[in-house]
């Protein structure tokens, strides 16, 4: 079996995908039209040309503008459904999907509208494709602690539908410590917790996410390598890093895929996983990310299998389900 065939055959879990970042320009145009919302582009081609980023903020500005056309429950359903169709093509059998409620509630869209649309797509994906999913609600770290607390309160009635909380948006200048009290409350309420750290921000932010937010996983975390003591801690605690190779390339976190540290992290024993982050904006879904690192770093079949195993091991599914997927991965010749 070639590396490409193996990538396609492996069952995989996606643990770091922002549903608003799966918004393909074609769907954005269709939804904008039916909601009669003007977007600053004349064509799908023009949208794609605008996707030329030099850092995280230059991406976020365009990403939040795109989300503005989402108004109705059906819009959120269509967005998530399009992503599940990609999952089915890529053999992503489980996904833990981020959504940014504040991006929508700040525009007057009800929390309920967002969650109902996403949940219905999750239910249909289970029924039609057998894909399981969890929802993770992210706080926008460029907004205040108070706004995050308000969002947490809005989420409580939907506690059964939201497995955890996360932290995303502009990293530098908004350290995890800003949300220590919010995350304590979230954990107390029974949410699992994750946080973006060490994407553009320093290794110090990863320490804060571990020590102050007490996260179950680190999203990105690629800058952890700059701190050998932190590396030892991540390895000893089997702390997962949800790495997003094409995202890192597009946002200039790395200059060249051949310089990406995912293989080194894996070889040192860090529990790294492969993810797409915002696939519509960064040029590819799960398998595109696997292919990009395999081509650039010459990954072996054993390493590809380890990455797929890690994705389930680091997920929030049950021990029995982890066992089942691990057995299937090991059995692939
Ligand atoms: N929101 C969507 N994608 C993000 C990323 N890569 N980092 C921080 N916030 C995000
Ligand atoms: Zn992300």
């Amino acid at each position: 079996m070639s590396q490409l065939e193996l990538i396609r055959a492996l069952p995989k879990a996606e643990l770091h995908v922002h549903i608003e970042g799966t918004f393909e320009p074609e769907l954005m145009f269709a939804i904008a039209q039916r909601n009669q919302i003007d977007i600053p582009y004349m064509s799908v081609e023009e949208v794609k040309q605008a996707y030329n980023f030099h850092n995280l903020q230059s991406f976020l500005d365009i990403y939040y503008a795109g989300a503005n056309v989402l108004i109705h429950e059906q819009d959120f359903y269509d967005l998530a459904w399009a992503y599940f169709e990609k999952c089915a093509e890529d053999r992503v059998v489980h996904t833990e999907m981020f959504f940014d409620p504040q991006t929508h509630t700040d525009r007057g869209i009800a929390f309920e509208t967002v969650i109902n649309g996403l949940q219905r797509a999750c239910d249909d994906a289970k029924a039609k494709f057998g894909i399981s999913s969890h929802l993770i609600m992210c706080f926008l770290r460029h907004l205040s602690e108070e706004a995050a607390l308000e969002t947490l309160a809005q989420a409580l009635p939907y506690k059964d539908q939201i497995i955890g909380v996360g932290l995303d948006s502009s990293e530098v200048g908004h350290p995890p410590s800003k949300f220590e009290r919010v995350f304590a409350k979230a954990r107390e309420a029974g949410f699992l917790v994750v946080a973006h750290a060490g994407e553009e921000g320093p290794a110090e932010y990863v320490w804060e996410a571990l020590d102050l937010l007490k996260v179950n996983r680190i999203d990105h975390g690629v800058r952890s390598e700059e701190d050998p003591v932190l590396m030892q801690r991540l390895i000893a605690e089997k702390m997962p890093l949800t790495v997003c190779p094409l995202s890192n390339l597009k946002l200039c976190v790395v200059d060249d895929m051949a310089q990406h540290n995912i293989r080194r992290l894996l070889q040192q024993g860090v529990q790294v996983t492969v993810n797409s982050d915002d696939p519509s904006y960064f040029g590819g879904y799960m398998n595109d990310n696997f292919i990009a690192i395999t081509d650039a770093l010459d990954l072996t079949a054993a390493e590809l299998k380890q990455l797929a195993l890690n994705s389930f091991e680091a997920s929030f599914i049950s021990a029995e389900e982890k066992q089942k997927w691990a057995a299937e991965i090991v059995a692939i010749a």
Side-chain angles (χ1 to χ4, degrees):
M1 194 183 283
S2 70
Q3 308 299 75
L4 182 59
E5 286 166 330
L6 177 60
I7 289 167
R8 289 187 177 142
L10 284 167
K12 294 163 289 279
E14 175 140 74
L15 309 180
H16 185 158
V17 59
H18 303 260
I19 198 60
E20 295 89 350
T22 69
F23 208 1
E24 291 288 341
E26 289 80 2
L27 184 60
M28 196 184 290
F29 260 84
I31 293 182
Q33 205 157 32
R34 77 186 185 207
N35 289 342
Q36 299 182 323
I37 291 177
D38 275 338
I39 53 174
Y41 308 106
M42 296 298 286
S43 66
V44 165
E45 271 323 299
E46 217 181 287
V47 182
K48 288 182 178 165
Q49 273 162 22
Y51 291 179
N52 211 343
F53 315 115
H54 49 278
N55 59 19
L56 177 58
Q57 193 60 49
S58 62
F59 153 69
L60 289 170
D61 293 342
I62 286 188
Y63 160 88
Y64 293 130
N68 278 339
V69 308
L70 299 163
I71 307 283
H72 305 290
E73 184 189 311
Q74 188 65 37
D75 304 339
F76 292 94
Y77 176 92
D78 291 347
L79 174 68
W81 184 253
Y83 168 63
F84 281 121
E85 289 183 321
K86 302 285 189 182
C87 289
E89 281 174 29
D90 277 2
R91 246 207 126 205
V92 171
V93 297
H94 175 72
T95 176
E96 299 182 357
M97 187 193 287
F98 296 139
F99 69 110
D100 290 339
Q102 289 158 296
T103 299
H104 313 298
T105 53
D106 283 1
R107 300 180 290 118
I109 312 298
F111 193 99
E112 183 186 20
T113 301
V114 181
I115 194 114
N116 286 352
L118 298 179
Q119 182 65 57
R120 189 155 57 83
C122 292
D123 294 344
D124 285 357
K126 183 72 190 161
K128 180 165 179 199
F129 297 130
I131 297 173
S132 57
S133 49
H134 289 312
L135 294 174
I136 297 176
M137 166 184 106
C138 287
F139 302 111
L140 298 182
R141 67 201 305 158
H142 69 274
L143 300 179
S144 66
E145 177 195 37
E146 192 187 0
L149 286 169
E150 210 172 289
T151 303
L152 180 60
Q154 285 177 327
L156 290 178
Y158 305 97
K159 171 74 196 51
D160 292 348
Q161 289 163 266
I162 302 172
I163 198 159
V165 303
L167 188 64
D168 66 2
S169 192
S170 321
E171 187 182 5
V172 175
H174 302 284
S177 52
K178 178 175 167 185
F179 296 94
E180 186 175 357
R181 285 180 292 223
V182 178
F183 273 62
K185 277 202 174 205
R187 282 186 278 105
E188 217 172 279
F191 291 102
L192 295 170
V193 298
V194 299
H196 283 52
E199 178 187 18
E200 278 191 348
E204 179 57 28
Y205 284 18
V206 179
W207 283 107
E208 284 193 11
L210 297 172
D211 290 335
L212 304 182
L213 305 189
K214 304 189 193 312
V215 292
N216 302 97
R217 295 195 293 252
I218 296 282
D219 294 315
H220 292 293
V222 287
R223 288 195 58 193
S224 303
E225 204 183 27
E226 295 167 17
D227 181 339
V229 181
L230 175 59
M231 286 290 287
Q232 286 316 308
R233 165 124 183 235
L234 296 175
I235 295 163
E237 292 185 4
K238 295 190 168 53
M239 177 58 59
L241 303 187
T242 63
V243 176
C244 308
L246 286 172
S247 165
N248 294 154
L249 186 65
K250 285 283 153 69
L251 300 186
C252 306
V253 171
V254 290
D255 297 332
D256 180 343
M257 198 61 97
Q259 282 162 26
H260 201 288
N261 64 4
I262 189 166
R263 190 177 193 196
R264 281 201 304 276
L265 293 168
L266 185 68
Q267 286 174 341
Q268 289 175 75
V270 181
Q271 195 176 82
V272 286
T273 68
V274 177
N275 306 270
S276 68
D277 205 7
D278 301 281
S280 162
Y281 293 90
F282 300 148
Y285 288 78
M286 177 63 92
N287 286 0
D288 302 310
N289 276 273
F290 263 95
I291 291 165
I293 54 172
T294 301
D295 287 351
L297 303 170
D298 208 17
L299 297 184
T300 65
E303 286 170 331
L304 292 172
K305 283 188 175 188
Q306 188 63 52
L307 288 167
L309 280 169
N310 287 355
S311 75
F312 294 102
E313 196 48 49
S315 76
F316 297 144
I317 60 177
S318 69
E320 296 76 50
E321 287 171 300
K322 288 182 184 184
Q323 194 66 55
K324 183 191 89 171
W325 291 116
E328 186 169 328
I329 291 167
V330 170
I332 293 176

